[in-house]
């Protein structure tokens, strides 16, 4: 089994096929979307492939040290162009192919007009603990 | 009370329940519940016969569950629920449990989890912690596995090769925490070896022991990977090495060579060398030839190229490497190593860096990054 992170972006990923902002969807479209996500998680739980799922607020701030004794620096004029993560899901699956399948299913959640959003998700493998045996 | 000793009784107890007429999934559930009860009560009130106690408790749990199921369906029957209580056989039933849990119809991950529970007697929580997934996820994985083997007959011998692969998979997971999967895999393989007369089981056990013997020296401070050649051999567990070698020799004497025996033979040759420079690489290459003959595996071919590089020099190693698929994991790292030994430092540094980006574990990534940095430093000075 191998763990993968599915990253969902507010900004930074290529545009979705059905690229309509969520705040412009109808309530029915939103309800259908939320229901799809709940069912999706339930399916992964049933197959024993679910690890965790978190949504993130868009209020992200870049922070860095500005040297000892000084307050940390936070991001300024370029904040609007930065990559923004909307949330993540962690899955634990048998193979890379299965990870692709799960990600594609998540990307197909319904959006505006009831049609799949077909957004781009970033799929990243976790580093594993080191194998006992080099094989 | 030693929890590991109690866990050893699990397959036998499940076996008794199934022979008395319980289905596998219910028997397994009942034994888990009995096990939890045992862990609670035995410290104050140890039983005279642990196995008999567990059989009695699990059978009671099974009957309770069966009755609850009956009444839930509202089928009040006067017929006795109990199948006739058969004799408790003295023979060990654990063998068919191994085959059942490693059934080819299960995915390797599910087979490993089910084996740890039904044969190893671990709780779902312990298995979940070992694999770093939520307990609910692991519970689902195990119950799905149980469902998919529900209708299988329990009397037919299964595929031993699958069982060994599952045990090796558990050994390779090796996450720490509450349960050490490496130790658990060794315990289960010992148990299997005690109940089968098959040299490959002994071969796998020897292989695990020989690898495990070097565990303390494989990682340095901060989880830093220490390559075999640089390991502090005084930290190798000589007791485990001696045991592994003895088991291996007995297996080899049976003259039915298999891939685990051949791998163990290679591990034994490494373990035998008092210093890295005294490693018998010529003999190791011969064992890789055997292994290649047995498996035809491209991974074996890759490892063999390293051994040839040590036995006959880096150019010979590179020649062997050119026959290996460059898409294999660790191919780039091997090429970097051989090129460095052949004197092409610039190309070696590049390839170490490339290999570090493709590494799948942190210790490996850090090690390869350090190798790249080391070679670059050598180039500058």
């Amino acid at each position: 089994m191998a763990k993968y992170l599915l990253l969902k972006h507010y900004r930074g990923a290529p545009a979705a096929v059905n690229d309509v902002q969520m705040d412009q969807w109808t309530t029915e479209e939103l309800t259908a979307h939320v229901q799809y996500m709940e069912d999706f998680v339930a399916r992964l739980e049933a197959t024993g492939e679910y690890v965790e799922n978190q949504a993130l607020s868009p209020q992200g701030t870049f922070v860095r040290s500005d040297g000892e004794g000084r307050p940390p620096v936070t991001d300024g004029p370029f904040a609007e162009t930065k990559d923004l993560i909307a949330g993540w899901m962690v899955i634990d699956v048998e193979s890379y192919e299965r990870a692709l399948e799960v990600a594609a299913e998540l990307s197909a959640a319904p959006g505006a007009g009831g049609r799949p959003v077909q957004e781009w998700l970033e799929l990243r493998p976790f580093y594993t603990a080191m194998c006992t045996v080099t094989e | 009370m030693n929890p590991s000793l109690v866990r050893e009784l699990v397959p036998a107890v499940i076996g008794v329940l199934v022979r008395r007429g319980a289905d596998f999934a219910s028997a397994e559930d009942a034994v888990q519940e009995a096990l939890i009860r045992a862990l609670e009560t035995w410290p104050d009130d140890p039983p005279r016969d642990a196995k008999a106690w567990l059989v009695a408790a699990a059978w009671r749990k099974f009957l309770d569950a069966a009755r609850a199921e009956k009444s839930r369906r509202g089928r009040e029957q006067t017929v006795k629920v109990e199948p006739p209580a058969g004799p408790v056989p003295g023979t060990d039933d654990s063998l068919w449990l191994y085959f059942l849990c490693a059934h080819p119809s299960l995915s390797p991950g599910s087979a490993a989890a089910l084996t740890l529970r039904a044969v190893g007697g671990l709780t779902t929580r312990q298995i979940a912690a070992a694999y770093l997934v939520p307990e609910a996820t692991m519970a689902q994985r195990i119950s799905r596995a149980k469902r998919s083997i529900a209708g299988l007959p329990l009397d037919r011998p299964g595929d031993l090769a699958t069982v060994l692969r599952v045990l090796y998979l558990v050994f390779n997971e090796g996450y720490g925490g509450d349960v050490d999967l490496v130790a658990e895999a060794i315990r289960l393989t010992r148990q299997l070896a005690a109940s089968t007369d098959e040299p490959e089981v002994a071969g796998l056990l020897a292989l695990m022991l020989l690898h495990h013997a070097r565990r303390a020296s494989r990682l340095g401070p901060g989880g830093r990977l220490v390559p075999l050649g640089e390991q502090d051999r005084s930290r190798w567990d000589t007791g485990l090495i001696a045991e592994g070698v003895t088991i291996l020799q007995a297996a080899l004497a049976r003259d039915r060579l298999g891939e685990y025996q051949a791998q163990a033979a290679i591990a034994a040759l490494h373990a035998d060398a008092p210093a890295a420079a005294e490693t018998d690489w010529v003999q190791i290459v011969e064992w890789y030839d055997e292994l290649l003959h047995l498996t035809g595996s491209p991974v074996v071919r890759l490892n063999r190229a390293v051994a040839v590089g040590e036995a006959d020099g880096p150019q010979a190693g590179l020649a062997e490497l050119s026959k290996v698929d460059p898409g294999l994991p660790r191919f780039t790292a091997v090429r970097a190593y051989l090129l460095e030994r052949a004197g092409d430092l610039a190309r070696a540094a590049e390839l170490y860096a490339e290999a570090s980006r493709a590494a799948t574990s942190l210790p490996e990534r850090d090690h390869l990054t350090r190798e790249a940095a080391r070679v670059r430093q050598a180039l500058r000075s």
Side-chain angles (χ1 to χ4, degrees):
Chain A
M1 306 288 288
K3 291 193 185 66
Y4 289 87
L5 173 70
L6 300 180
L7 268 185
K8 210 176 159 73
H9 296 251
Y10 281 117
R11 259 202 321 261
V17 172
N18 185 8
D19 191 20
V20 181
Q21 290 297 305
M22 254 182 160
D23 54 13
Q24 290 166 38
W25 296 2
T26 66
T27 51
E28 290 78 17
E29 285 161 3
L30 280 167
T31 309
H33 183 82
V34 170
Q35 184 66 49
Y36 183 95
M37 301 306 264
E38 279 174 15
D39 294 348
F40 179 74
V41 167
R43 274 198 300 280
L44 283 182
E45 276 171 342
T47 54
E49 294 172 311
Y50 177 79
V51 179
E52 72 160 4
N53 180 23
Q54 289 291 331
L56 289 174
S57 151
Q59 309 304 322
T61 308
F62 277 115
V63 187
R64 72 159 168 82
S65 157
D66 198 29
E68 214 176 317
R70 299 161 65 106
V73 179
T74 55
D75 61 346
F78 310 113
E80 290 312 306
T81 58
K82 73 186 176 193
D83 185 8
L84 260 189
I85 308 295
W88 71 72
M89 184 177 287
V90 179
I91 54 174
D92 187 16
V93 292
E94 289 285 348
S95 65
Y96 175 67
E97 287 67 32
R98 175 63 186 148
L100 286 181
E101 230 174 78
V102 171
E105 208 182 312
L106 181 59
S107 161
R115 285 175 291 113
V117 177
Q118 287 181 273
E119 66 186 325
W120 289 93
L121 295 167
E122 197 181 342
L123 180 66
R124 302 275 301 274
F126 276 44
Y127 275 125
T128 58
M130 197 180 51
C131 259
T132 310
V133 181
T134 304
E135 224 208 357
Chain B
M1 181 184 63
N2 182 344
S4 148
L5 284 178
V6 180
R7 291 207 298 263
E8 268 167 38
L9 296 170
V10 166
V13 178
I14 296 179
V16 171
L17 262 62
V18 172
R19 300 228 178 270
R20 282 187 187 175
D23 62 291
F24 168 71
S26 314
E28 205 279 325
D29 284 337
V31 174
Q32 277 287 326
E33 284 186 50
L35 207 59
I36 290 166
R37 185 97 191 95
L39 293 171
E40 287 164 4
T41 57
W42 287 11
D44 304 323
D45 184 16
R48 251 177 308 135
D49 180 342
K51 182 176 166 185
W53 189 100
L54 278 175
V55 168
W59 186 242
R60 224 175 301 124
K61 294 277 183 197
F62 166 70
L63 290 182
D64 288 350
R67 286 197 190 99
E69 177 73 359
K70 282 255 170 198
S71 50
R72 190 179 64 76
R73 288 180 192 165
R75 275 196 270 116
E76 289 295 338
Q77 288 176 330
T78 45
V79 198
K80 268 192 197 162
V81 179
E82 289 108 302
V88 177
T91 58
D92 192 359
D93 287 317
S94 54
L95 192 55
W96 61 254
L97 261 189
Y98 275 94
F99 288 123
L100 185 66
C101 294
H103 197 270
S105 67
L106 298 175
S107 71
S110 308
L114 188 61
T115 303
L116 284 170
R117 205 174 114 134
V119 189
L122 298 187
T123 63
T124 306
R125 180 192 295 268
Q126 288 172 316
I127 303 169
Y131 282 94
L132 306 173
V133 299
E135 193 179 348
T137 296
M138 192 47 81
Q140 285 288 4
R141 211 177 276 172
I142 292 169
S143 58
R144 266 173 76 90
K146 281 199 278 188
R147 272 202 303 280
S148 41
I149 56 167
L152 293 174
L154 305 178
D155 48 356
R156 224 169 289 160
D159 179 7
L160 186 66
T162 317
V163 175
L164 296 183
R165 243 196 323 278
V166 166
L167 290 173
Y168 202 21
L169 185 73
V170 173
F171 182 79
N172 270 317
E173 284 290 344
Y175 286 119
D178 182 16
V179 176
D180 179 346
L181 287 183
V182 171
E184 193 57 29
I186 291 178
R187 183 175 78 78
L188 294 180
T189 310
R190 271 188 201 284
Q191 203 171 297
L192 182 65
S195 55
T196 50
D197 184 31
E198 171 54 55
E200 271 295 83
V201 181
L204 180 62
L205 179 58
L207 177 62
M208 287 179 176
L209 294 173
L210 288 164
H211 279 308
H212 193 49
R214 300 198 294 254
R215 190 190 209 187
S217 63
R218 291 173 69 238
L219 295 180
R224 184 174 168 154
L225 189 150
V226 184
L228 185 58
E230 292 161 30
Q231 286 175 14
D232 175 359
R233 291 173 186 234
S234 68
R235 295 177 70 194
W236 289 0
D237 185 331
T238 47
L240 281 183
I241 292 175
E243 191 192 353
V245 168
T246 306
I247 292 172
L248 173 67
Q249 279 169 342
L252 288 175
R254 309 277 303 276
D255 207 18
R256 274 158 56 207
L257 189 63
E259 55 175 307
Y260 293 115
Q261 294 169 75
Q263 281 192 59
I266 293 167
L269 284 167
H270 285 303
D272 257 358
E278 292 170 60
T279 308
D280 187 348
W281 287 106
V282 173
Q283 221 191 123
I284 288 179
V285 172
E286 285 168 11
W287 278 111
Y288 271 118
D289 290 340
E290 293 278 6
L291 198 52
L292 195 57
H293 176 70
L294 287 165
T295 64
S297 151
V299 178
V300 170
R301 209 177 282 277
L302 178 67
N303 284 311
R304 185 179 170 278
V306 180
V308 170
E310 300 291 349
D312 304 331
Q315 293 301 345
L318 284 166
E320 288 303 315
L321 191 64
S322 68
K323 300 175 200 159
V324 179
D325 173 10
L328 276 184
R330 297 204 172 89
F331 176 92
T332 311
V334 168
R335 186 128 190 276
Y337 175 74
L338 290 171
L339 282 172
E340 185 195 347
R341 295 198 54 222
D344 187 350
L345 297 194
R347 189 77 188 111
E350 265 170 52
L351 288 175
Y352 274 130
E354 190 186 321
S356 77
R357 287 190 290 274
T360 55
S361 81
L362 274 180
E364 210 180 320
R365 183 199 69 181
D366 294 348
H367 170 71
L368 291 166
T369 312
R370 233 178 271 120
E371 294 292 273
R374 179 182 55 77
V375 177
R376 283 202 175 115
Q377 235 160 324
L379 271 170
R380 279 197 296 269
S381 59

